[in-house]
Amino acid sequence: MSSKDSHRRSQKITIAAYSSMVRAVGTRRAWSRALLFKLRSQARRGYVVKRRCFSVKKRRVTKKASSGELKQAEKLRSLVPGGEAMEFCELLEETADYIKCLATQVIRAYGKHQKGSR
Amino acid sequence: MELMEGNDVGFATCGDKNEEIGIESLQFGEEIQSLMSVPPETGSSFTALLELPANQAVVLLHSPESHEAPAELSGEVWRNGSIDHPKPYQPQSFACTPTFPSNTALLERASRLSVFAATENSPETTSIPSNSSATSHKVKQEPIESYSNPDSSPILSDPTVLNKNQKSTKRKEREKKVKGATKKIKNAVNDTSEDGEKLPYVHVRARRGQATDSHSLAERARREKINARMKLLQELVPGCNKISGTALVLDEIIYHVQSLQRQVELLSMRLAAVNPRIDFNLDGLLAAESGSLMDGNFPGMFMPPIWPEGCVNGNRQHYQQLWQFDGHHQPVWGRGEDNLNFITPANSLLSYDSSANNSGKLYSNITRVIVHLPCFSMSTEIISTSRKSVGLDYKFREHSDIVNCYQVSKH
């Protein structure tokens, strides 16, 4: 297996992990909607889109940055899916939900991993 | 999602005000006890007045009411149509208590009095639990009223001077106090004068000593929202409780999110390596999934509500609305009995549920949603084809996912 294939495989695996998580959450969260949209458009296109066409959202982000928002907020926006277009307040809320979701997934995956390895 | 905001209810009725005052005066009781160390600035005559029984306090309250100067209320905006009613309105409106502070000035003095009362702990603290919440207010207010009472002329000169000094000190102390339980509503009017009109706006309660602009109120509301969410995040992220300061906490949060993401990827890799059963044909899957929302041609996996109903909260309705746009809404209640045994492994996750619920009821739903993600990486294929985003309750949708997971593992 070449490195490219293994890279593609690992990419597929992470996509699988995130998509299952997102589908469990559904559309009730802004971050899950954003992630779902991203995954679907990715699947439709067949490749991972580079972050270039976020001009509309960037406008709001730069406005926030110029108004004295913390640089952690930008970092957080890059981490949480869909965070670019959120207000700071909403961003915090989505982050909390995202953290909870990730943590649950990790716990379950770890438990399953342990169970499988026995 | 506004659970944290408290109740944004318009105060149109006097009854609401009563409750609010009641809550406040309960807080005053606590504050009185907390302010034990405040040195008394009152004269001896004032402390004597504090020992007056409650009924006398009531009498005293009523008499000097008209002498209250609205100018004192520089920092407090308490706009409520019912509150600003003149005195004769009182007995009709507030039937539950004989005396109700229809004047904001009264309440302000009551707050000031809470510092006075610290010196005379026994009469105050005994009176507060014994009386109703509103009358406890009156007990606090009556010594203040005694100041402005023209009948107490020999002590008039001293108390007025003292009053001013006390006002300034109380103002500082008052600022520290939190009117926690008060319902905060937006105020569209900035002036602090007491009109008799009843405005159709929603009213907010500004804290004493703070600006009452609509802008600053909005900012304050926003800041409090943000602080509440930061607190919640601090609870979620381990080790954040000790850190003070937004920037460091955010740094911790960022680090935590990154580490969780890395863990997810690592574990999913491991699981994929261990169980290379299912081909990851995800590209076609995800594209097809968007079109498969209207299909009903998969075995209906929707469980009857075996899942515990304990944690249903207001969010449920909110989320249900989000579901409506996903597709057609036909719950398929198929094969109830077959899938019963699939639930039991998932039931072990309930312990995680309950612990998660404590950390914030806003987010309690998410754990129940996620708990059935054991074989996330493996069962994606099945999940995507069999999942139907119908307008079901999110709970029942979870069941379908659980069933799907376990069916995959069964095969």
Side-chain angles (χ1 to χ4, degrees), chain A residues 10 23-24 28 93 98 100, chain B residues 1 261 286 363 369 397:
Chain A
S10 59
R23 265 188 226 120
R28 74 185 78 111
E93 206 177 317
Y98 190 57
K100 223 176 189 195
Chain B
M1 198 44 69
Q261 281 176 340
L286 282 161
Y363 306 103
V369 174
R397 214 176 26 82

Side-chain angles (χ1 to χ4, degrees), chain A residues 43-87:
Chain A
R44 226 173 280 134
R45 256 182 263 113
Y47 58 88
V48 184
V49 66
K50 294 299 174 194
R51 303 175 69 144
R52 215 180 300 141
C53 34
F54 283 104
S55 56
V56 177
K57 292 174 183 174
K58 271 267 161 66
R59 229 175 284 138
R60 195 200 289 213
V61 174
T62 49
K63 185 184 82 175
K64 279 266 177 269
S66 62
S67 74
E69 271 298 310
L70 310 160
K71 53 179 176 295
Q72 287 99 340
E74 294 173 32
K75 194 110 202 274
L76 209 54
R77 287 203 162 90
S78 67
L79 282 175
V80 176
E84 309 269 340
M86 291 181 197
E87 303 276 349

Side-chain angles (χ1 to χ4, degrees), chain A residues 8-10 12-21 23-29 33 39-40 43 70 72 75-76 79 88-89 92-93 95-110 112-113, chain B residues 1 225-226 229-230 233 236 247 250-251 254 256-258 260-261 263-265 267-270 272 280 282-283 286 289 319 322 326 349 352 356 359 363-364 366 369-371 373-376 380 384 387 394 397:
Chain A
R8 233 177 114 86
R9 182 168 179 271
S10 59
K12 280 186 173 174
I13 290 170
T14 51
I15 289 173
Y18 283 113
S19 61
S20 66
M21 179 170 89
R23 265 188 226 120
V25 173
T27 44
R28 74 185 78 111
R29 281 283 168 185
R33 287 193 289 269
L39 290 170
R40 280 182 188 167
L70 310 160
Q72 287 99 340
K75 194 110 202 274
L76 209 54
L79 282 175
F88 190 60
C89 192
L92 291 180
E93 206 177 317
T95 311
D97 199 75
Y98 190 57
I99 286 176
K100 223 176 189 195
C101 192
L102 283 176
T104 320
Q105 199 177 18
V106 165
I107 286 169
R108 290 306 305 153
Y110 191 68
K112 184 149 210 300
H113 177 70
Chain B
M1 198 44 69
K225 249 168 91 168
I226 287 179
R229 284 178 192 165
M230 286 293 294
L233 273 171
L236 273 180
L250 281 176
D251 280 337
I254 286 168
H256 193 246
V257 168
Q258 281 171 336
L260 279 175
Q261 281 176 340
Q263 272 181 327
V264 161
E265 291 178 19
L267 282 167
S268 67
M269 297 290 213
R270 278 203 205 162
F280 286 99
L282 288 164
D283 299 343
L286 282 161
E289 207 263 348
Y319 295 144
L322 280 177
D326 264 341
L349 302 166
Y352 184 85
S359 66
Y363 306 103
S364 63
I366 200 65
V369 174
I370 302 299
V371 288
L373 272 180
C375 35
F376 55 89
T380 308
S384 65
R387 189 174 162 282
Y394 65 92
R397 214 176 26 82

